[in-house]
Amino acid sequence: MKRIFTLTLIALSFVSFTQAQQRREGQRPPTAPTNPAVREEPAARTQSVASRTIVPESSVITNHTVTIRGKAVPYKATTGTLPVWDEEGKAIAGLFYTYYERSDVQNKDSRPLVISFNGGPGSASVWMHIAYTGPVVLNIDDEGYPIQPYGYKDNSASILDVADIVYIDPVNTGYSRATSKDVPTNKFFGVRADIRYLAEWLNTFVTRNNRWASPKYLIGESYGTTRVSGLALELQSNQWMYLNGVILVSPTELGIERGTVLDAALRLPYFAATAWYHKVLPGDLQSKKLTDMLPEVENFTVNELIPAIAKGGFLPAAEKQKIAAKMARFSGLSEKVILQNNLNVSTNLFWKELLRDKGYTVGRLDSRYKGIDKSDAGNSPDYNAELTSWLHSFTPAINMYIRNELNYKTDLKYNMFGPVNPWERSGDQTGENLRAAMAQNPYLHVLVQSGYYDGACDYFNAKYNMWQMDPSGKLKDRMSWEGYESGHMMYLRKPDLQLGNDHIRDFIEKTLPKKGVPAKF
């Protein structure tokens, strides 16, 4: 894909060498000279990225070193855009990506490639890029809260020691844009459209970078789990690209139906985890470790709460009172509130109610975070306390990192969240897509990672996905689940940054078949 060797990159070579030297010496390089990335054109009229228009094809290469698990790992970073093609071969969008390759590996055929997406839909890949698996992480405290000065530092937990990684921003996220306002948005904005065009783009990326022989893994967070679950089958069926693994971080419902009864019941274990964290449970529960307390709540949910809610208005009053008392015991809410809501307490009400008497709300994506509302009255918080905190630390860091460290210059705004509405949500069969891909590909394994304090994509619903995705039970030995004492972005908590990456590293190593082992049942 290296189609950009112009005077720009000749200038960059010196910058890259200097940066690599400074990284080895533990220094952060200063802001590099302004050298716009260019696409391949005659030298006399190269087109600069430093404008408000998308350049569908561009790249800048820099070289670095990071210490992972006590060992120096040299790597090359390619940052740029690559076209999305329409049916006639015309570029209709440019997708921004950052591609990290370990540079001391001679043969890439056996080197795993991890393809990373975040969610939204409408969210850039920034979150896992500079806070989880990549070679740098945010400058935040050990629990994930912002600190100043803003910035980033080396990520000693990164998986770059065992796999190359590409972070991709779908259209209207990050620096990715359609080439014209005349391009129909339904080419991109919808469950099925999103999967189709990204699969085509990945074919181009893998071909340009000569990675067809490499073992491949998809990782997605939040709506990104919908995306990668659908991509697993789309890549296999229409691009003839087979995967070794799919990693689902804080997964959505993946198109697996719940209905009113299950929606109401399955959120209780999350309520219990949050109440435990804020120390509002009865003493006997509060004194237990979180992971020792939750199985009792899960058993109650499956064996008592679901059948009780299913009876609706015909549930006997005495039984309803008994169920409400147990829910109150596990959730930190009052029996009165639970009965007023007929055993169906919404997450919005829970976030507002749990600490109402203390004058706080709790966060949606991470319930460890507390917020302050204008009024203690009401049925939902004024704002998402955790998301405000995260944007506080992520936004300066990604803009600084791409421009100063990776040397990619553009006047486009980096969209943390971009306009992607209306999003066509019909036809979401992504859980079934993933099951079908696993059934057809004996090499394909799935790892699920969930934070116990995530109220948007809660951990117990993630377990439910696994139970329901394959009713036959024949694929369950290729599925695994890991829980973390943090929220939606569990990696923001320092112990879980290390633990989560270790789990991914182990998953990759476990799912690489030994030489000569065929893909068969």
Side-chain angles (χ1 to χ4, degrees), residues 7 22 39 49 54 63 104 113 121 141 147 165 169 220 243 259 276 288 290 316 319 370 442 460 466 499 513 521:
L7 291 175
Q22 289 168 323
R39 60 183 179 182
V49 182
I54 184 68
N63 291 284
D104 60 353
L113 174 65
D141 80 354
I147 57 176
I165 319 166
D169 291 336
L243 305 171
W276 180 90
K288 294 181 179 180
L290 176 65
E319 189 176 347
K370 293 186 288 189
F460 199 57
M466 294 174 60
L499 186 61
F521 296 115

Side-chain angles (χ1 to χ4, degrees), residues 209-431:
N209 289 281
N210 196 26
R211 299 308 297 262
W212 276 99
S214 301
K216 298 172 190 66
Y217 295 81
L218 296 177
I219 181 170
E221 179 180 62
S222 195
Y223 185 84
T225 63
T226 300
R227 178 173 285 136
V228 300
S229 295
L231 276 169
L233 185 62
E234 180 71 15
L235 287 170
Q236 193 167 294
S237 299
N238 293 316
Q239 305 300 327
W240 312 287
M241 187 183 297
Y242 287 73
L243 305 171
N244 285 64
V246 173
I247 302 157
L248 307 177
V249 180
S250 305
T252 64
E253 295 179 349
L254 304 181
I256 298 170
E257 291 295 330
R258 263 70 169 172
T260 304
V261 171
L262 290 171
D263 269 343
L266 293 178
R267 59 179 77 114
L268 181 64
Y270 153 71
F271 288 174
T274 299
W276 180 90
Y277 177 82
H278 289 289
K279 297 181 171 57
V280 294
L281 291 181
D284 62 317
L285 295 177
Q286 198 66 57
S287 64
K288 294 181 179 180
K289 289 175 58 179
L290 176 65
T291 50
D292 292 336
M293 180 272 293
L294 286 175
E296 183 181 348
V297 187
E298 294 176 9
N299 288 334
F300 166 73
T301 299
V302 172
N303 298 316
E304 298 182 54
L305 184 56
I306 291 174
I309 296 177
K311 295 176 183 177
F314 287 79
L315 180 68
E319 189 176 347
K320 187 174 185 178
Q321 187 70 49
K322 179 182 175 183
I323 293 292
K326 284 192 174 183
M327 289 182 70
R329 169 176 161 77
F330 291 136
S331 68
L333 303 178
S334 69
E335 287 183 43
K336 179 179 179 181
V337 167
I338 291 168
L339 288 169
Q340 285 174 337
N341 288 274
N342 297 315
L343 312 182
N344 184 358
V345 177
S346 71
T347 48
N348 270 321
L349 179 56
F350 175 79
W351 299 323
K352 181 74 174 184
E353 180 69 24
L354 184 69
L355 301 181
R356 192 192 298 266
D357 62 342
K358 297 180 174 64
Y360 295 109
T361 62
V362 298
R364 170 177 174 263
L365 294 163
D366 191 330
S367 294
R368 296 175 302 155
Y369 290 72
K370 293 186 288 189
I372 299 176
D373 281 359
K374 183 177 181 180
S375 170
D376 290 339
N379 294 319
S380 62
D382 290 351
Y383 66 99
N384 293 337
E386 77 299 328
L387 188 56
T388 299
S389 174
W390 295 341
L391 289 168
H392 194 163
S393 51
F394 273 90
T395 310
I398 191 63
N399 281 280
M400 294 159 61
Y401 177 64
I402 290 174
R403 192 170 188 86
N404 299 342
E405 184 97 359
L406 300 182
N407 207 33
Y408 191 86
K409 313 294 186 184
T410 178
D411 286 333
L412 281 171
K413 180 173 70 173
Y414 188 90
N415 282 340
M416 304 292 284
F417 296 99
V420 298
N421 291 317
W423 189 270
E424 176 53 62
R425 296 182 179 272
S426 63
D428 182 355
Q429 298 292 319
T430 51

Side-chain angles (χ1 to χ4, degrees), residues 403-470:
R403 192 170 188 86
N404 299 342
E405 184 97 359
L406 300 182
N407 207 33
Y408 191 86
K409 313 294 186 184
T410 178
D411 286 333
L412 281 171
K413 180 173 70 173
Y414 188 90
N415 282 340
M416 304 292 284
F417 296 99
V420 298
N421 291 317
W423 189 270
E424 176 53 62
R425 296 182 179 272
S426 63
D428 182 355
Q429 298 292 319
T430 51
E432 169 57 20
N433 295 158
L434 183 53
R435 184 210 64 80
M438 293 181 72
Q440 297 169 29
N441 177 8
Y443 280 155
L444 181 54
H445 291 68
V446 171
L447 169 65
V448 180
Q449 298 184 307
S450 296
Y452 291 114
Y453 307 129
D454 180 2
C457 300
D458 70 84
Y459 88 91
F460 199 57
N461 267 284
K463 286 186 174 182
Y464 184 81
N465 280 347
M466 294 174 60
W467 300 341
Q468 300 302 314
M469 199 170 78
D470 172 39

Side-chain angles (χ1 to χ4, degrees), residues 78-126:
T78 304
T79 311
T81 51
L82 199 62
V84 175
W85 313 105
D86 67 8
E87 295 80 359
E88 284 73 45
K90 178 184 175 183
I92 58 173
L95 290 199
F96 182 74
Y97 69 93
T98 305
Y99 176 36
Y100 297 106
E101 303 168 84
R102 184 166 178 164
S103 51
D104 60 353
V105 174
Q106 300 303 314
N107 184 358
K108 294 294 180 73
D109 288 357
S110 59
R111 173 81 171 162
L113 174 65
V114 173
I115 300 162
S116 183
F117 293 99
N118 272 91
S123 174
S125 65
V126 53

